[in-house]
Amino acid sequence: MADSAQDRKLPATQRKIDKARREGQVARSRDLGHFGAVAAVVALVGALAPQITQWLVLGLGRGLRFDHTLIGDPAAMGHRLADLALQMLAVLVPLFGVMVAVALAGSLLCGGWNFTLEAIAPKFGKLDPLAGLPRLFSGQQLVQTLKACVLAVLLGGVGGLYLAQHWWRHAELLALPLPQALAAGGSLLQGGMLLLCGVLAAFALVDVPLQRHMLQRRLRMSIEEVKKEMKEAEGSTQVKAKIRLRMREMANRRMLAAVPGADLVVMNPTHYAVALKYDAEAMAAPRVIAKGADLVALKIRDLARDARVPVLQSPALARALYAHTEIDQEIPARLFSAVAQVLAWVYQLRDAMAAGRPLAADAPMPEVPADLDPLQARPEPAAEPAP
């Protein structure tokens, strides 16, 4: 069952925010774009007012000037209209270009750059009128509708009030020559547009944080959704267990592959096995290249025997090495003496085998510090009090 809106009280995680951005859900303020576009045009027209006034005067003069030679040409009027239209487009197209660029900049300023094609992908589920009714009467949709109505009323009211206060100045334009009338009319128009820009600026200041808040509210999550997302991100317990098992198997294979290159395997006699290697030129001390317990210990023993690596039965040393070393780690300094004894025996064994004679010395039984042997370091059980 889907979680209800009342259950979604937790803020959205970064993963859900990123997913929403990929789907085109970002905070966008239309009021900020409207304000930027109108303000840019007002500023541009105000800065270029003399040039625009002169252009209008020249354009109207050319448009109202007639030549008797044009009366006999039926296509002259069409050419004249085409020329006037091109002249008007030469001025209006840059203005509209500036409006579009500023509107896009305002949109990016609110929600940042987000290029995705998922927002325009066809979604046939939205064509269902019954499924769209809840969205039509949702709280966010009502807020957007109310805001649009208030904005329209304020813009109409401010515009109407401005015209009511300056109607006499508009009437005076009829008595002025054309250049002065165009300049005065442009000044009046600019004043009214500045008032409308003020209203749009006030709405933009409110709408930008409102859109971000509404987006965060729309992306809120329930406890179950957060748990499900964490489970998907981290993976299920079974999957993680299989991954760990596979990693252990790969590590064991790499470790067992190094056993034939060992100098010695120390065992106890079936519970633990530790393979040692020492290279006087490359190592400061003997290093553990493999270790294991129970079945792994037996596997290390069999691989060592197949590779003709000496196997020494030394329970105390095997337990100490297994407990206090890791793979590819040098042995502890306190075990140097014990390991040196067994390595010396290995070197004597190799020399004897190379000479084809039996080894005179028996296998050593090195002494291990009691606190390094897990069996000897185990605390004695407390004696029960006499009845």
Side-chain angles (χ1 to χ4, degrees):
M1 180 181 293
D3 298 316
S4 62
Q6 291 78 9
D7 296 332
R8 298 190 178 100
K9 298 181 180 179
L10 299 178
T13 61
Q14 187 61 42
R15 184 181 180 187
K16 184 169 184 178
I17 294 176
D18 295 339
K19 181 181 178 182
R21 290 187 67 87
R22 290 193 299 269
E23 295 175 353
Q25 299 185 47
V26 292
R28 299 295 190 198
S29 175
R30 294 182 179 179
D31 294 335
L32 180 60
H34 296 162
F35 162 70
V38 175
V41 171
V42 170
L44 191 60
V45 171
L48 302 176
Q51 292 82 354
I52 293 177
T53 302
Q54 184 179 4
W55 173 79
L56 288 174
V57 170
L58 295 177
L60 287 175
R62 286 194 299 267
L64 297 177
R65 186 183 300 115
F66 292 96
D67 189 351
H68 69 280
T69 59
L70 299 177
I71 298 177
D73 187 3
M77 183 63 68
H79 293 310
R80 176 66 63 85
L81 291 176
D83 292 339
L84 293 176
L86 291 176
Q87 295 175 12
M88 183 166 294
L89 288 177
V91 176
L92 294 181
V93 168
L95 290 177
F96 283 121
V98 171
M99 292 178 63
V100 172
V102 175
L104 291 176
S107 180
L108 295 178
L109 182 64
C110 180
W113 174 261
N114 184 48
F115 179 78
T116 178
L117 298 178
E118 293 190 21
I120 61 176
K123 298 180 180 179
F124 299 101
K126 292 186 176 181
L127 299 178
D128 186 2
L130 296 180
L133 286 177
R135 295 193 298 270
L136 183 61
F137 296 100
S138 63
Q140 295 187 5
Q141 189 64 34
L142 293 177
V143 171
Q144 296 284 9
T145 303
L146 179 62
K147 182 171 64 65
C149 293
V150 173
L151 178 60
V153 170
L154 285 179
L155 290 177
V158 170
L161 183 61
Y162 180 78
L163 290 175
Q165 292 180 349
H166 297 83
W167 66 269
W168 55 272
R169 294 187 59 184
H170 291 83
E172 291 178 350
L173 297 178
L174 299 176
L176 296 176
L178 182 58
Q180 290 82 357
L182 289 176
S187 178
L188 289 173
L189 179 62
Q190 187 175 14
M193 295 298 293
L194 286 175
L195 289 177
L196 297 181
C197 283
V199 176
L200 291 175
F203 263 76
L205 290 176
V206 175
D207 189 57
V208 170
L210 177 63
Q211 294 299 329
R212 292 177 177 175
H213 172 73
M214 293 175 65
L215 177 63
Q216 293 175 0
R217 184 180 179 87
R218 188 165 61 249
L219 296 180
R220 287 189 307 184
M221 306 174 66
S222 65
I223 298 178
E224 293 300 326
E225 288 176 333
V226 173
K227 291 181 178 178
K228 182 179 179 181
E229 184 176 290
M230 292 179 62
K231 186 175 181 180
E232 292 176 353
E234 297 178 359
S236 62
T237 305
Q238 294 81 0
V239 173
K240 290 191 290 185
K242 290 182 180 179
I243 293 175
R244 288 195 296 267
L245 178 60
R246 186 62 181 268
M247 293 178 64
R248 285 196 299 267
E249 292 176 351
M250 294 174 63
N252 287 336
R253 284 198 294 267
R254 290 194 299 268
M255 178 188 69
L256 294 175
V259 171
D263 293 327
L264 171 68
V265 171
V266 183
M267 293 198 64
N268 171 31
T270 57
H271 294 293
Y272 302 106
V274 180
L276 300 174
K277 184 175 182 60
Y278 178 59
D279 185 353
E281 296 180 357
M283 302 178 186
R287 182 173 299 173
V288 175
I289 62 173
K291 72 173 188 176
D294 300 329
L295 295 178
V296 179
L298 297 178
K299 183 65 175 179
I300 292 175
R301 182 198 63 185
D302 295 340
L303 290 174
R305 288 178 175 175
D306 293 341
R308 305 187 67 179
V309 175
V311 178
L312 175 65
Q313 303 292 339
S314 180
L317 182 58
R319 291 192 298 265
L321 290 172
Y322 184 86
H324 299 287
T325 58
E326 297 296 336
I327 305 298
D328 292 331
Q329 183 183 41
E330 294 180 352
I331 64 174
R334 298 179 62 190
L335 293 177
F336 282 179
S337 177
V339 174
Q341 295 179 42
V342 296
L343 286 177
W345 174 76
V346 169
Y347 298 150
Q348 295 175 10
L349 179 61
R350 288 179 178 175
D351 293 341
M353 293 177 62
R357 55 181 173 79
L359 181 62
D362 296 332
M365 294 298 294
E367 295 183 0
V368 176
D371 57 332
L372 295 182
D373 187 354
L375 186 61
Q376 298 183 28
R378 187 178 303 168
E380 295 289 341
E384 296 182 1

